[in-house]
Amino acid sequence: LMALVIGADANARVEDLPDGFDPERESQAGHEIVDLYEEAVAALETVCDDYRRIRAMRLSQIRDIPFQEAYDNIDSVMPRLPPIDRRLLRRRIYDPQLINQHKAQVEEVQRQIEAMIDLTTRLLLEIEVLEAEVLHHQEQEATREVTLEEVLAREEFDPDQVVEEDVRIVEGTLMEQLVEAAQDRDRDDERFSDLTELMQQIEHQHTPPPVAADIADLTEADESLERYVQPDNLERMRNVRNLEDVEYTFGRKVKYGGEPVEWMFVDTWHIIGPWPNPSRAHIDRQFPPENIVDLNAAYIGKGGREIHWQFHQTRTVEVVPQNEEEYGIWYAYTEVYFDRPMDLWIATGSDDRGDIWLNGMPIWVSSDRLKAWRVDEGFRKVSFRQGVNRVLVRLENGWRDTAFSFGIYLGP
């Protein structure tokens, strides 16, 4: 690729060029590279839009809301791409001083195209899963098998069309039952909820495709190990409110028979934000990380600022975004490792609203009220897979401070 674009020897001088050589003449190979880049961008934009539409169709089914409302509440997952110098790429290079600049631009194009291919591949995997779920609904009401193309072609699923009649589909799926079970309960005796049975049923039906991550697997899994089921010691777990009176550590790795400790709090995250949330208007809006985690992506956030995933590590139970401010929304992503499948209790809390997904499944949905952080706001018994488990947190701040925590109970 580099050989096609660079049109002159690095030691060449302008006066040595042949008669009739036009230094402003553009390179055909350079044009081809720019055209290839723009084709890749257009293809990614198409896939991102298809993904948003199909995701909105599924959201309208789950929440029993009109498609247009669901579509408007989902942000595009199209990342913000760094600009490339199209003029430089198209030029025929004769000045040795421009060779390194030109080479850097070609390498940047190659890097971006590879990232776009990776994101497109993962979105297509997600679309396959969503397609099966959407068609399952449609086929229940149809007399014949339908295709996704037929569904997408319907007027009610075109975001550019105004639909007078709402299209609402209701289904009591396992995922909907899990969302309900993960909801925050204000009553003290309802703060504990065992989600393991629902999670294992969903896991048996479908394993979500992997998300992009720069966090390497910590070790290999051994499929022969049996699941560890933690006994319920609810009264003991309540003591976590007084952190001075319990033993806890920080980490992301749990091994059966390891060094005993009562609680482990996850302290290593990748965090991105804030997205805007004026007067909490976007409290139900899905921003890109909620649909696809791409740690290399950049987006436009609050105030038109470009935001990126930032590595964040703390030695406190509370996790606070470094750029916290009022009326914003952040996402935090991490991975935790278990040497065998385990059903364990977790404690979580958020200031203000918080949502947590474990391996793509909702395990914590806090109330919408403005509230302070508490380490024991909610307890959920969840199923961790053997090997790497992906944790995604959504954190919304209304006013003043914001924080969240994610603790795993390892005690007796």
Side-chain angles (χ1 to χ4, degrees):
L1 187 62
M2 293 298 303
L4 287 173
V5 180
I6 297 175
D9 186 273
N11 297 316
R13 296 174 300 174
V14 175
E15 54 266 28
D16 295 334
L17 296 173
D19 293 339
F21 182 85
D22 182 2
E24 297 301 322
R25 181 184 174 189
E26 294 184 341
S27 164
Q28 179 62 33
H31 268 281
E32 292 175 358
I33 288 178
V34 174
D35 290 346
L36 179 63
Y37 175 83
E38 292 178 346
E39 289 176 10
V41 172
L44 178 58
E45 289 175 339
T46 299
V47 173
C48 286
D49 184 64
D50 288 345
Y51 177 78
R52 183 183 180 187
R53 292 175 63 195
I54 298 170
R55 187 92 187 186
M57 292 169 64
R58 185 64 184 130
L59 182 63
S60 71
Q61 295 170 343
I62 294 174
R63 292 189 181 175
D64 186 22
I65 59 176
F67 168 78
Q68 188 63 50
E69 180 181 342
Y71 184 85
D72 291 341
N73 277 323
I74 298 177
D75 261 29
S76 172
V77 297
M78 182 71 187
R80 184 179 187 275
L81 301 173
I84 63 169
D85 191 336
R86 289 171 171 79
R87 184 173 180 273
L88 177 61
L89 285 167
R90 291 188 177 112
R91 289 181 60 181
R92 182 184 295 274
I93 302 302
Y94 67 92
D95 186 346
Q97 296 181 0
L98 293 178
I99 290 179
N100 288 336
Q101 298 177 33
H102 195 270
K103 178 181 178 182
Q105 280 297 299
V106 175
E107 291 174 345
E108 175 63 18
V109 168
Q110 181 177 358
R111 185 194 68 80
Q112 288 194 36
I113 289 180
E114 289 174 351
M116 283 188 273
I117 291 172
D118 177 66
L119 178 57
T120 300
T121 301
R122 288 182 291 107
L123 285 173
L124 291 174
L125 290 174
E126 289 273 5
I127 286 174
E128 287 183 8
V129 175
L130 291 170
E131 176 183 4
E133 295 173 349
V134 169
L135 292 181
H136 174 70
H137 286 279
Q138 300 296 325
E139 289 173 356
Q140 286 182 330
E141 298 183 354
T143 57
R144 63 177 180 81
E145 183 176 334
V146 295
T147 66
L148 183 64
E149 288 73 17
E150 290 178 301
V151 176
L152 285 174
R154 297 176 186 175
E155 186 179 78
E156 63 263 31
F157 295 124
D158 185 349
D160 295 325
Q161 297 289 334
V162 178
V163 183
E164 295 182 359
E165 181 179 357
D166 292 347
V167 178
R168 302 189 180 192
I169 307 171
V170 182
E171 181 192 25
T173 64
L174 290 173
M175 191 67 77
E176 292 165 22
Q177 296 176 43
L178 182 59
V179 170
E180 176 63 25
Q183 290 280 346
D184 174 49
R185 303 290 186 264
D186 290 333
R187 292 179 51 183
D188 185 72
D189 59 347
E190 294 183 340
R191 288 185 298 144
F192 294 86
S193 181
D194 188 340
L195 310 179
T196 55
E197 183 176 349
L198 282 169
M199 293 182 70
Q200 289 169 31
Q201 290 182 55
I202 294 171
E203 190 85 31
H204 179 72
Q205 286 187 347
H206 161 63
T207 300
V211 296
D214 290 336
I215 307 175
D217 288 1
L218 303 178
T219 188
E220 296 182 357
D222 181 355
E223 298 295 338
S224 65
L225 294 176
E226 295 183 0
R227 176 179 297 276
Y228 168 73
V229 179
Q230 185 181 53
D232 299 340
N233 193 345
L234 307 188
E235 290 304 317
R236 180 62 186 171
M237 283 190 290
R238 293 178 190 270
N239 294 338
V240 73
R241 173 174 294 188
N242 303 311
L243 287 168
E244 298 84 0
D245 300 331
V246 299
E247 294 182 359
Y248 66 89
T249 188
F250 298 100
R252 293 190 300 124
K253 185 175 183 179
V254 177
K255 296 185 66 175
Y256 185 77
E259 188 70 23
V261 68
E262 195 166 5
W263 285 92
M264 183 185 78
F265 287 91
V266 179
D267 63 338
T268 303
W269 301 83
H270 284 76
I271 299 179
I272 189 171
W275 272 272
N277 190 31
S279 301
R280 309 187 77 196
H282 296 160
I283 195 169
D284 293 320
R285 189 175 186 88
Q286 292 185 8
F287 293 99
E290 203 162 325
N291 296 309
I292 194 80
V293 175
D294 183 354
L295 297 181
N296 296 314
Y299 305 98
I300 299 300
K302 184 178 177 182
R305 291 168 287 178
E306 185 174 283
I307 54 177
H308 306 259
W309 289 94
Q310 303 290 333
F311 180 76
H312 182 88
Q313 191 169 50
T314 178
R315 301 307 290 180
T316 62
V317 172
E318 289 178 89
V319 181
V320 180
Q322 294 175 342
N323 57 348
E324 65 167 326
E325 57 184 84
E326 295 185 345
Y327 297 107
I329 292 173
W330 290 259
Y331 290 87
Y333 175 80
T334 194
E335 295 178 353
V336 290
Y337 171 83
F338 292 81
D339 72 339
R340 68 186 64 202
M342 296 186 182
D343 294 343
L344 302 175
W345 284 95
I346 66 163
T348 189
S350 62
D351 176 356
D352 291 292
R353 180 189 167 114
D355 298 86
I356 302 177
W357 294 265
L358 174 61
N359 295 322
M361 292 177 278
I363 60 172
W364 168 252
V365 181
S366 83
S367 67
D368 291 346
R369 60 190 174 89
L370 293 170
K371 53 188 173 62
W373 170 80
R374 280 180 25 222
V375 68
D376 63 339
E377 184 178 352
F379 296 89
R380 299 290 183 268
K381 193 173 189 178
V382 299
S383 290
F384 289 100
R385 298 173 180 169
Q386 181 182 355
V388 172
N389 293 256
R390 303 181 301 277
V391 181
L392 179 68
V393 176
R394 173 188 167 119
L395 179 65
E396 180 256 353
N397 188 29
W399 58 287
R400 299 182 66 177
D401 302 327
T402 189
F404 74 93
S405 58
F406 188 87
I408 302 172
Y409 184 63
L410 304 174

